[in-house]
């Protein structure tokens, strides 16, 4: 089926944003490029070991997909690099939203909202039909930056998934339960 022009323009703009994302500072990439330096940078935490394992697992999926004979027999061999696969994996990992408990929904624009639980002004919500929309959680002033409230994650989880942490003085609002 044909995609309406307005939707096509949104998706094409979204694609351009995604193609520019390199994840140069994402922990998976840092762990894969120089495991010893990465581990040293996180001492005394053992988080580096987990992140290194997760990065290795992604690359193992790449090896399975590109070399497994049943995939090659069913169609033309998959032709993408480990770099492209890692970037695609991280795009989904860092931009997917939960819909009905499944982290598989990419929403152009919504995935680019910044996150700060102390200044959150919106949250993602399921529309009951498998889609999503943004709900304001407080009054928003004209020209004010809108912050989306992610799920409640520890700094370790935020770093592992998204590659950022929050200042220690930032606290989660009571009862926060969002869906990124």
């Amino acid at each position: 089926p044909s995609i309406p022009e307005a939707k096509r323009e949104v998706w094409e703009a979204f694609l351009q944003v995604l193609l520019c994302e390199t994840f140069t500072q994402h922990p998976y990439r840092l762990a894969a490029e120089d495991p010893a330096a990465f581990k040293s940078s996180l001492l005394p935490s053992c988080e580096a070991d987990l992140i290194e394992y997760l990065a290795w697992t992604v690359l193992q999926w790449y090896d399975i997909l590109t070399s497994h004979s049943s995939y090659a027999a069913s169609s033309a061999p998959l032709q993408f690099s480990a770099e492209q696969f890692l970037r695609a994996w991280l795009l989904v990992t860092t931009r997917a939203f939960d819909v009905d408990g499944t982290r598989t929904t990419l929403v152009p624009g919504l995935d680019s909202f910044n996150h700060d639980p102390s200044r959150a002004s919106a949250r993602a919500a399921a529309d009951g039909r498998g889609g999503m929309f943004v709900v304001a959680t407080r009054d928003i002033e004209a020209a004010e930056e809108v912050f989306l409230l992610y799920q409640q994650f520890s700094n370790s989880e935020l770093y592992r998934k998204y590659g950022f942490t929050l200042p220690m003085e930032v606290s989660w609002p009571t009862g926060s339960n969002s869906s990124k």
Side-chain angles (χ1 to χ4, degrees):
S2 176
I3 298 174
E5 186 61 29
K7 285 185 180 181
R8 181 185 315 278
E9 289 175 13
V10 169
W11 281 104
E12 286 175 358
F14 183 56
L15 175 62
Q16 290 306 311
V17 169
L18 298 181
L19 289 173
C20 292
E21 183 62 73
T22 63
F23 295 100
T24 56
Q25 295 302 305
H26 192 279
Y28 283 31
R29 179 175 298 290
L30 297 174
E33 286 176 352
D34 189 345
F38 182 68
K39 184 178 271 191
S40 176
S41 74
L42 292 182
L43 286 176
S45 171
C46 60
E47 186 73 15
D49 292 328
L50 175 58
I51 292 169
E52 185 179 350
Y53 173 77
L54 294 170
W56 175 83
T57 301
V58 172
L59 296 176
Q60 290 302 300
W61 276 112
Y62 170 78
D63 288 344
I64 290 167
L65 288 173
T66 57
S67 65
H68 198 277
S69 61
S70 66
Y71 294 107
S74 64
S75 63
L78 300 175
Q79 295 183 4
F80 48 87
S81 67
E83 165 68 20
Q84 291 168 319
F85 185 76
L86 176 62
R87 286 174 61 194
W89 186 284
L90 291 174
L91 283 168
V92 172
T93 299
T94 62
R95 294 176 175 270
F97 287 83
D98 292 337
V99 173
D100 299 327
T102 304
R103 280 185 68 83
T104 57
T105 304
L106 293 173
V107 182
L110 186 61
D111 64 327
S112 297
F113 278 55
N114 282 326
H115 168 76
D116 181 341
S118 66
R119 301 189 311 170
S121 52
R123 66 178 178 80
D127 68 2
R129 299 172 295 166
M132 297 188 72
F133 60 98
V134 176
V135 177
T137 58
R138 62 172 175 77
D139 290 339
I140 300 171
E141 300 293 323
E144 177 185 355
E145 182 175 0
V146 176
F147 287 87
L148 188 67
L149 183 59
Y150 289 16
Q151 203 171 332
Q152 223 173 348
F153 291 119
S154 68
N155 265 341
S156 292
E157 291 170 309
L158 285 171
Y159 183 64
R160 189 180 324 127
K161 282 182 189 261
Y162 304 109
F164 73 87
T165 59
L166 295 171
M168 295 306 287
E169 64 274 6
V170 173
S171 62
W172 293 94
T174 305
S176 65
N177 186 12
S178 181
S179 31
K180 182 166 182 194

